[in-house]
Amino acid sequence: MVNTEVDTTLFGTDVSYEIGGRWLAYWTFLLRLMVGWWFFHAGITKLLESGVSYNASWFVAQEGLVLSPIMNLFQSGIPYGIVQFMIPVGETLIGLGLLVGCLVRLASFFGAFLMIFFVTTNRGWGHGFVNSDLMGLLLFVTMIVLAAGRIWGIDAILERTMFVQNNPWMRYLLG
Amino acid sequence: MSTTTNTDETLADQIAMALGGGLMILGVVILGLIEVFSGKPYSPIADGSVAAGVTIDPYWRALLITIGVAVLMLYAIYVVFVRGLLGQRSI
């Protein structure tokens, strides 16, 4: 059982194709670990350096950017505390989820959510317009589409439990 | 050879794919091509900041990408809550 036929349509047009299932599974797993480590490392080092008091003032104070009106609401008080907490903790949990393959789609959703902020606050586009942040955003969407947690991940085990079998909507969060 | 199961393509699927992906392709690829073919600067960024004489302000390209991603995220939420709760087949 090597090849898999993806039998589907796009906008009503048949685009079915055959693909090497083994390599698809292998590369999806590899990508998941890479992306997971990237975010886990980014988060855990922030936690080790500054705990849940990450200095995000430069991040939320930027003006004239696409998401500035939203970010500027989080410049002080409790909202700023939430940002200080959520960036390191969120990155760590998202990365950990991908590394062990647990709640991969949910984790990747929040990963993509974080990345759109990083993409649009790219310190004056210091790394170009199409940059690693944009690639990271695309990778998180890829993790969702490919259900990367189903390959040697905890999600593969969870999806075989009776609880998930009886609540198939959970496969949208797992996988 | 194993075969994946085909699922019905709904209007919501098509709107999410066309609008979400379309806006991202517009922001990154199409406007990028226009930037290249409209002459120097070929990239909106030079020396780490927005280049002088850029044809399309990267702000607008970033806005298109943001809206495109937002469309896909809203679709994801719709799928979980509407299709999931209705008990339709999950993927």
Side-chain angles (χ1 to χ4, degrees):
Chain A
M1 192 166 66
V2 175
N3 287 343
T4 296
E5 186 186 348
V6 178
D7 176 17
T8 193
T9 59
L10 267 182
F11 303 106
T13 306
D14 183 18
V15 291
S16 298
Y17 64 99
E18 198 175 306
I19 188 170
R22 182 176 294 132
W23 277 95
L24 176 66
Y26 166 78
W27 193 251
T28 302
F29 173 70
L30 199 81
L31 269 185
R32 197 191 84 212
L33 292 191
M34 294 292 176
V35 178
W37 173 250
W38 166 48
F39 244 54
F40 181 76
H41 179 270
I44 199 73
T45 49
K46 289 185 181 75
L47 280 175
L48 292 171
E49 287 286 321
S50 51
V52 291
S53 302
Y54 175 64
N55 180 12
S57 55
W58 67 271
F59 182 69
V60 292
Q62 296 187 91
E63 294 181 350
L65 305 173
V66 170
L67 293 173
S68 291
I70 297 173
M71 295 193 306
N72 293 165
L73 299 174
F74 291 83
Q75 286 193 79
S76 60
I78 293 174
Y80 181 59
I82 293 171
V83 173
Q84 285 185 299
F85 177 82
M86 285 309 297
I87 288 182
V89 173
E91 285 182 340
T92 304
L93 290 178
I94 290 165
L96 191 61
L98 264 65
L99 280 175
V100 300
C102 185
L103 287 165
V104 164
R105 282 179 159 168
L106 182 67
S108 298
F109 178 88
F110 287 114
F113 178 80
L114 267 181
M115 288 313 301
I116 195 63
F117 283 91
F118 297 156
V119 168
T120 56
T121 57
N122 211 274
R123 293 208 190 211
W125 306 106
H127 298 286
F129 185 75
V130 177
N131 50 56
S132 59
D133 287 336
L134 181 62
M135 293 300 117
L137 167 66
L138 299 179
L139 281 172
F140 276 118
V141 178
T142 304
M143 294 294 99
I144 296 172
V145 172
L146 295 179
R150 291 176 188 164
I151 305 148
W152 287 335
I154 291 173
D155 286 344
I157 300 166
L158 294 176
E159 290 188 353
R160 283 196 287 270
T161 63
M162 284 306 293
F163 183 73
V164 176
Q165 301 270 329
N166 293 331
N167 296 278
W169 63 270
M170 289 195 71
R171 285 162 57 85
Y172 288 123
L173 310 181
L174 303 165
Chain B
M1 184 172 74
S2 64
T3 303
T4 54
T5 304
N6 196 0
T7 52
D8 290 334
E9 192 175 348
T10 67
L11 184 63
D13 296 330
Q14 293 183 338
I15 291 172
M17 288 191 295
L19 197 59
L23 286 171
M24 292 176 74
I25 291 169
L26 177 64
V28 175
V29 182
I30 296 174
L31 294 185
L33 280 170
I34 291 172
E35 192 72 59
V36 168
F37 288 113
S38 61
K40 288 185 176 179
Y42 297 128
S43 169
I45 316 298
D47 301 326
S49 59
V50 178
V54 64
T55 305
I56 301 155
D57 191 322
Y59 175 92
W60 299 110
R61 294 177 66 184
L63 181 64
L64 290 170
I65 296 168
T66 304
I67 297 171
V69 172
V71 168
L72 292 176
M73 294 183 100
L74 287 173
Y75 168 76
I77 294 169
Y78 156 80
V79 164
V80 171
F81 285 97
V82 177
R83 288 193 194 169
L85 291 175
L86 287 175
Q88 293 177 353
R89 182 182 172 79
S90 59
I91 56 173

